[in-house]
Amino acid sequence: MALTTLTLSLAACKSNNTTTTTTDTTTTTETTDTGTGAEPTGVLVIQESADVPTLDPGTTYDTASGQVVENLYETLVTYQGNSLSELKPLLATEWEEEDGGLGYRFTLRDGVKFHTGNPFECKDAEYTFRRNLVTNTSDSGNWFLSESLLGTGSNANDDTSITWQRITDAVKCDGQTLVFKLPKADPAFLAKLAYVGQAIVDSEHAKKIGEWDGTEATWKDAVGKDLTGSPLAQDPSGTGAYKLLDKTATAITATAFMDYWGDKAKIKNVILQKIPEQAARLQAFEKGDADIVETGGRSIIEAQLAGKPGIAILDDLPNTSAFGISMNQKISGQGAIGSGKLDGQGIPANFFSDVDVRRGFVAAFNTPQYIQDVQKGKGEPLNFLLPLGFPGYDESIEPPQYDIDAATEHFKKAWDGQVWNKGFTVNVSYRAGSAAAQTSMEILKKNIESINPKFRVNIVAKEWSDIIKGSNQGTEAMVSTGWAPDYADPDNFVYTFYSSKGYYNPRINAQDDQIDAWIDEARSITDTDKRNELYSNIAKRAIDQAWYIYMPNQPGILAYRDNLQGVGLDTFNPMLSFANAGTGTLWKDLNKS
């Protein structure tokens, strides 16, 4: 897939005043839909191991939540088909870029209703983006929206230069036209607006059920507010093709929204079930009681599902995720460190601050074995937590190597020999139900413990929401860490994983001034060659610093019931949350025969 870091291909034309205009060419057919098509029928059943932390777009920052939110809500723009570089209008019908990228004007779609019946208007978009800028917690993706519109990823609690005036100047309505003003041009701004966390909420409904009222008088009280379990998370109202019917601890049910403005959903109800046991999910899938399940990856699909009646396989899917195991250099709390000492019964909180400890763990991970056991021989080692083929990925750099002898030497040097002499016990976490993550930890455990009988690695399965919470608080010593891109630019990965201000820094608590400087320079320039050179430098230095154990690139594979239609490489878009363990489409674009 060809991606570009500097511009998005938007089928745009340039006028003489350097204003770029992009128009929705499908507006006529979409807005004149009379709703006289066939009534939706049937049920789509999806089974996964993860819980869904939230249904509030303002704090949606994980794929489990995103796969639901992206079907209940809609953004101003979205991706065109399976492209990662082409955007098309959604709740907007057209937009104009002004002043060399310092301004954008969005014409909004008429005739759109929220699930409550309230009409979609500019005030809803204005409220949404202001709410995201005001709340902007560490558990949301609003930091990158704030960077674009306010010049900082922080909220007003952490950056006192943020004022109500700056927020209202950044996003406002001019009649029914939404206007953005940026402090500096951001080539990724439009792609950021396609992220599910920037979906438009029903402002009247939100205020009615107890959300922030959107005024200057109360905005300070809403700064940094945790929205995970917000009123809107419990009672969502979007413009999407599906609306929430029911939410329990183990299942979410959505039903087709018959007043949807565009092409209506073909399947009446969608049920997303939390089934922690892989065997139970596979049994339901083979019986036809579930249409799509979290299978456990390629090894399970090829060994147990391929060739079974009623099951179809879609292979070699594009993979734009990056995965690793983080090593925390300043662990908070006692849960992961045991005795808190180098006495064989635990580790000190700063155990991973010794680079030889980290290098020992990296060298002890058998990547070729993981590729064979989990990915059935497909994929290759990565040298950076950036997807293979993504802009900025330098394939000439040698990836970290599996080398038990080298690992042994590193451990002998670590902590002036104390690690080798006294041993350690460390607790590592992975998402319960994830066979791939479990296997990676088991490979690591076996190899580490084979080096020295005094070394112990305890593997702990945890709920996804617990891992997110613990990781953000820095209480995890080692945890499986993955990232699916919010937008198609290498900075979204590199800043997230490697910057001392990045979203995942609480998982490693590391800082390298040179890496920070390179990252800041790369995100401030538009010279592609120079950016690529900087990312290559970061990749080399990051290998030396050994902050993460890198998981290999893994081409995707999907098993689904063969009566499910609308699934294919031509429609699969990895930027959608439902690409994580689904079809890479919206639910409304699927059908069942």
Side-chain angles (χ1 to χ4, degrees):
M1 288 172 290
L3 304 179
T4 173
T5 64
L6 301 181
T7 57
L8 289 165
S9 175
L10 298 171
C13 57
K14 295 269 188 176
S15 62
N16 291 332
N17 63 2
T18 71
T19 295
T20 302
T21 303
T22 301
T23 305
D24 180 6
T25 59
T26 62
T27 302
T28 302
T29 58
E30 291 177 339
T31 56
T32 58
D33 182 73
T34 61
T36 58
E39 289 290 317
T41 60
V43 180
L44 176 69
V45 179
I46 306 159
Q47 292 186 351
E48 298 178 353
S49 65
D51 57 344
V52 174
T54 188
L55 293 181
D56 189 330
T59 196
T60 294
Y61 209 31
D62 67 284
T63 52
S65 300
Q67 67 183 318
V68 182
V69 171
E70 69 188 3
N71 287 285
L72 305 183
Y73 290 87
E74 293 177 304
T75 48
L76 295 178
V77 299
T78 191
Y79 291 92
Q80 177 75 50
N82 65 357
S83 175
L84 303 187
S85 58
E86 295 182 34
L87 294 174
K88 66 177 183 179
L90 190 57
L91 283 181
T93 57
E94 65 178 16
W95 63 83
E96 296 177 346
E97 177 188 311
E98 301 178 320
D99 300 328
L102 296 179
Y104 290 85
R105 296 178 63 86
F106 282 81
T107 302
L108 305 181
R109 194 175 296 279
D110 291 326
V112 177
K113 292 182 180 180
F114 287 103
H115 298 158
T116 59
N118 292 334
F120 161 63
E121 298 177 348
C122 186
K123 65 178 182 179
D124 300 298
E126 180 186 80
Y127 172 85
T128 295
F129 291 108
R130 288 181 178 179
R131 179 176 184 255
N132 289 351
L133 292 173
V134 167
T135 55
N136 187 18
T137 70
S138 61
D139 295 324
S140 76
N142 292 321
W143 63 268
F144 58 78
L145 176 73
S146 184
E147 281 191 333
S148 295
L149 294 177
L150 302 179
T152 173
S154 301
N155 62 33
N157 286 337
D158 298 324
D159 186 339
T160 56
S161 70
I162 298 175
T163 62
W164 177 247
Q165 188 66 51
R166 285 180 63 188
I167 291 172
T168 55
D169 285 346
V171 53
K172 64 177 61 178
C173 289
D174 179 6
Q176 289 302 307
T177 299
L178 184 68
V179 180
F180 291 106
K181 294 296 183 182
L182 284 65
K184 62 179 182 179
D186 179 0
F189 179 63
L190 290 172
K192 291 178 180 180
L193 298 184
Y195 180 65
V196 61
Q198 307 307 330
I200 308 303
V201 307
D202 182 343
S203 62
E204 290 301 313
H205 171 71
K207 296 172 187 177
K208 182 178 179 181
I209 63 176
E211 296 290 353
W212 173 54
D213 66 8
T215 69
E216 181 179 5
T218 61
W219 82 279
K220 279 291 187 66
D221 294 332
V223 173
K225 185 176 181 180
D226 182 7
L227 304 178
T228 305
S230 69
L232 202 58
Q234 308 304 318
D235 187 11
S237 173
T239 62
Y242 282 89
K243 63 180 181 179
L244 182 69
L245 196 61
D246 188 44
K247 183 180 186 295
T248 69
T250 58
I252 290 176
T253 305
T255 191
F257 179 42
M258 296 314 297
D259 284 334
Y260 181 63
W261 61 269
D263 294 333
K264 306 295 191 294
K266 304 174 185 66
I267 299 174
K268 183 173 180 59
N269 292 322
V270 177
I271 303 176
L272 178 63
Q273 299 173 328
K274 177 188 172 185
I275 308 294
E277 300 81 13
Q278 179 173 285
R281 297 195 302 268
L282 295 177
Q283 183 180 37
F285 184 53
E286 290 190 49
K287 289 172 62 179
D289 294 337
D291 301 291
I292 299 172
V293 302
E294 182 183 341
T295 59
R298 181 176 299 277
S299 59
I300 300 297
I301 290 176
E302 293 187 354
Q304 300 184 36
L305 300 176
K308 292 288 183 70
I311 294 176
I313 307 295
L314 186 63
D315 202 352
D316 294 319
L317 296 171
N319 185 343
T320 55
S321 297
F323 293 88
I325 300 175
S326 55
M327 290 175 279
N328 190 350
Q329 299 184 35
K330 188 179 179 182
I331 305 162
S332 301
Q334 298 297 313
I337 64 176
S339 66
K341 303 175 182 178
L342 271 178
D343 57 3
Q345 305 304 310
I347 56 172
N350 61 346
F351 178 65
F352 287 106
S353 65
D354 188 309
V355 69
D356 279 305
V357 171
R358 304 194 304 270
R359 290 170 180 167
F361 271 85
V362 170
F365 186 75
N366 191 335
T367 303
Q369 180 186 350
Y370 182 91
I371 292 173
Q372 189 58 47
D373 292 353
V374 175
Q375 302 176 191
K376 305 301 288 184
K378 288 207 172 190
E380 57 188 275
L382 292 179
N383 61 42
F384 204 23
L385 285 176
L386 186 66
L388 187 67
F390 225 70
Y393 188 90
D394 184 351
E395 295 190 40
S396 69
I397 300 173
E398 186 77 13
Q401 300 294 307
Y402 167 58
D403 187 335
I404 285 292
D405 291 337
T408 300
E409 291 307 310
H410 286 304
F411 283 126
K412 285 182 177 179
K413 290 190 294 183
W415 287 91
D416 295 323
Q418 293 183 71
V419 168
W420 188 259
N421 294 329
K422 296 180 179 181
F424 60 82
T425 298
V426 60
N427 297 324
V428 301
S429 301
Y430 74 94
R431 178 171 62 82
S434 172
Q438 181 179 355
T439 301
S440 69
M441 292 301 192
E442 289 172 346
I443 290 172
L444 186 63
K445 172 183 173 68
K446 178 183 177 182
N447 292 344
I448 292 291
E449 294 182 351
S450 73
I451 293 173
N452 186 328
K454 298 177 183 179
F455 294 177
R456 289 287 180 267
V457 177
N458 296 329
I459 301 174
V460 183
K462 294 184 178 181
E463 292 288 353
W464 180 228
S465 55
D466 291 337
I467 287 180
I468 293 175
K469 181 179 180 180
S471 298
N472 289 339
Q473 294 175 346
T475 59
E476 297 286 352
M478 300 182 70
V479 66
S480 295
T481 296
W483 190 258
D486 306 317
Y487 49 93
D489 189 282
D491 178 68
N492 191 221
F493 285 89
V494 180
Y495 188 85
T496 299
F497 280 112
Y498 297 101
S499 171
S500 62
K501 299 177 182 178
Y503 181 72
Y504 277 155
N505 192 261
R507 302 190 181 202
I508 59 174
N509 276 299
Q511 180 172 354
D512 182 277
D513 291 341
Q514 180 61 77
I515 287 179
D516 277 349
W518 282 333
I519 291 174
D520 290 342
E521 183 179 357
R523 66 202 321 243
S524 66
I525 60 176
T526 57
D527 184 322
T528 302
D529 291 338
K530 180 60 177 176
R531 292 186 87 202
N532 288 343
E533 178 185 344
L534 289 166
Y535 289 129
S536 179
N537 291 340
I538 296 167
K540 295 171 186 175
R541 190 169 179 88
I543 289 173
D544 182 65
Q545 291 297 308
W547 288 347
Y548 298 92
I549 299 169
Y550 297 160
M551 296 298 105
N553 169 64
Q554 46 183 323
I557 185 170
L558 171 67
Y560 61 99
R561 297 297 303 184
D562 62 6
N563 64 336
L564 189 63
Q565 299 158 4
V567 185
L569 288 173
D570 58 335
T571 58
F572 187 95
N573 194 308
M575 295 302 296
L576 296 180
S577 295
F578 196 48
N580 189 48
T583 59
T585 66
L586 295 176
W587 296 341
K588 74 180 183 67
D589 297 321
L590 300 174
N591 199 1
K592 287 180 70 175
S593 58

